[in-house]
Amino acid sequence: MKKKKITLQDIAKALNITPSAVSKALSDHPRMSQNTKDAVNKMAEELNYKPNQIAAALRSGQSKLIGVIVPAANISFFSSVIRGIEETVNKAGYSVILTQSDDSIKKEEDIINTLLATRVDGVIAALGLKTKKFGHFEKLKEENVPLVFFDRIIKDFGVSTVEVDDYKGAFDAVGHLIEQGCKRIAHLAGHSHMELYKNRLKGYKAALRDSSIPFQKELIIQSDLHLEDGRNGMLQLLELKDRPDAIFCSSDYAAVGVLQIARENNINVPKEMMIFGFSNEPFTSYLDPGISSVDQSSIIMGHTAGELMLADIKSSNTDFSERNIVLNPSLIIRKSSKIF
Amino acid sequence: MKKKKITLQDIAKALNITPSAVSKALSDHPRMSQNTKDAVNKMAEELNYKPNQIAAALRSGQSKLIGVIVPAANISFFSSVIRGIEETVNKAGYSVILTQSDDSIKKEEDIINTLLATRVDGVIAALGLKTKKFGHFEKLKEENVPLVFFDRIIKDFGVSTVEVDDYKGAFDAVGHLIEQGCKRIAHLAGHSHMELYKNRLKGYKAALRDSSIPFQKELIIQSDLHLEDGRNGMLQLLELKDRPDAIFCSSDYAAVGVLQIARENNINVPKEMMIFGFSNEPFTSYLDPGISSVDQSSIIMGHTAGELMLADIKSSNTDFSERNIVLNPSLIIRKSSKIF
DNA sequence: CTGAAAGCGCTTACAG
DNA sequence: CTGAAAGCGCTTACAG
């Protein structure tokens, strides 16, 4: 029943030449007669030959596989970055192995062991939320596996990174709210051991300082920034005797939670309270009012991460020097933060 | 600079036994003394040995890789199915190679060639929108590569499939709209060469018939069902002298478009017009009014697809018989189709 | 321009 | 319970 797979050998036999000749012909080796190449390609076609990538990988030491680690594949931002990465590396002949850490360090470690065993040619990763030790990523470096971080990166780790300028995104967003006349701007913040959340908080503070608005600790609420956290944060803020007139959220999901509570309490957005999110998830434009958000150009981030990886692989062991790319965020202003 | 990778051989030498013994010990072969196993495992740990999965794959003929083909990784429904698939197969020791067809037949064919070259142990796929010929999928069957279709499937192809009962989902959704008092229910339909859209249309018709509501062709609009198509479809419907009082959309994206046009024309949803979507994308619950939708339990679909694949791989060449699983959809009723 | 040969790192019948 | 040996299907220096 099971058809035997056609191999290089079969082509060689059929043409009465050696496997090496076939191999060279197929890979379009420069000094190989066009005649042989044509004959080999024709025969390969005829026999429906499919090169065995596994064998090639073993011999050449290149698996043409790139591991991608995200916390969860179904978070819109990550799914877009994944899309971008796959598009880019695929054009260069690489395939993507997709893995999910669920923000668990244990899983992150397991994944890296698996990827190492699979001999991927490189790893592109966004850190898990709880990842504060990096021994497993050090292992990749030790084994000389190219590594690129995106979005949730480790500072000064000696690898290429791509992130959005979170500081600037936050600074601009809060600046915009101040321009709209807001004076008491709350911030739903992420955990501060993550660079990106730290930077957004810094941008928030800097924007206030620029306008001589005093920083008030009671207006900062830290959480995981899921929708539910947004709801809870908003409820907490509503209990203050002096309510905020705007809320800058470090995540669109949290922003939706805030909007929901606002609706449930008949608080008019944007008139009584403005809302600003982060990431520009597609759904922010579907809502009414649409939620203003900081666009992170997620697909471009994916493309960039892919390109950094390809460059890294190419220069491996030669003149590699990491590049740290910071994408410029842009504000997408919608009805939640502006009276049109 | 480049550290040499530790191999089976190194462990064997260090312990003065043969590589075969090491291999068996590591794979916990039944007749191998516990002593040897312990020694081998200890030494493997010590030398920081990482088995070369590529070599194992070449020798054993099992790559432990499963190819997944989706039109686009950043469509919420697909990203959730991907998540489900990865979770399930990962537990069984398989990794996922993620690929995107962009609804292009050419890319679908290229992908299958690549996956064949990578010698994946199986392929899980959702068809591209335009895929009407299946030669490339036939190739997988010829090569005895297990194949599972999900959501966008081919009927009677002799492989396992998992889909949601689209007919029932549509039937129930339209039935619900009729219960709410709607009499002129339009349908934004997908292209009819896709089984799933055909079935939704059938369900729509059957529900009307059940309530003796005449079917009217002018109320059916066929499109790709993107957001923009929803907007256009709605505009077209508004031109009718007798406007519909409800719109059943075969996609949530189209439903958002419909809602947007309704808002822009000050049409009250649900009072003047009800809206029903399909897929229960998370954003449908973020909107105001929330859009009622047919839940497809996308993550469960992913788990199921993964399990079908694992079963298929296990029974390969023995007593394989395909299974066609139809998941039960459930209606998620929100404000867009009910006055609470 | 083409060939002979070695080897990538495993696994797996086969012996004993 | 352990060992010797072959081989998965390629690629790649090395010769000529």
Side-chain angles (χ1 to χ4, degrees), chain A residues 78-112:
Chain A
F78 289 122
S79 74
S80 292
V81 179
I82 291 168
R83 171 166 183 72
I85 292 173
E86 202 277 333
E87 282 181 347
T88 302
V89 303
N90 179 47
K91 278 184 199 144
Y94 289 83
S95 296
V96 162
I97 294 195
L98 178 68
T99 66
Q100 309 181 88
S101 69
D102 292 327
D103 282 322
S104 142
I105 301 178
K106 173 77 174 64
K107 284 201 184 169
E108 226 170 54
E109 291 168 345
D110 290 348
I111 286 168
I112 287 184

Side-chain angles (χ1 to χ4, degrees), chain B residues 8 20 23-24 49 52 55-56 59:
Chain B
L8 264 184
S20 13
S23 173
K24 284 169 201 156
Y49 169 71
N52 185 330
R59 177 59 233 247

Side-chain angles (χ1 to χ4, degrees), chain A residues 8 20 23-24 49 52 55 59:
Chain A
L8 264 185
S20 12
S23 173
K24 283 170 202 157
Y49 169 69
N52 186 329
R59 177 58 232 247

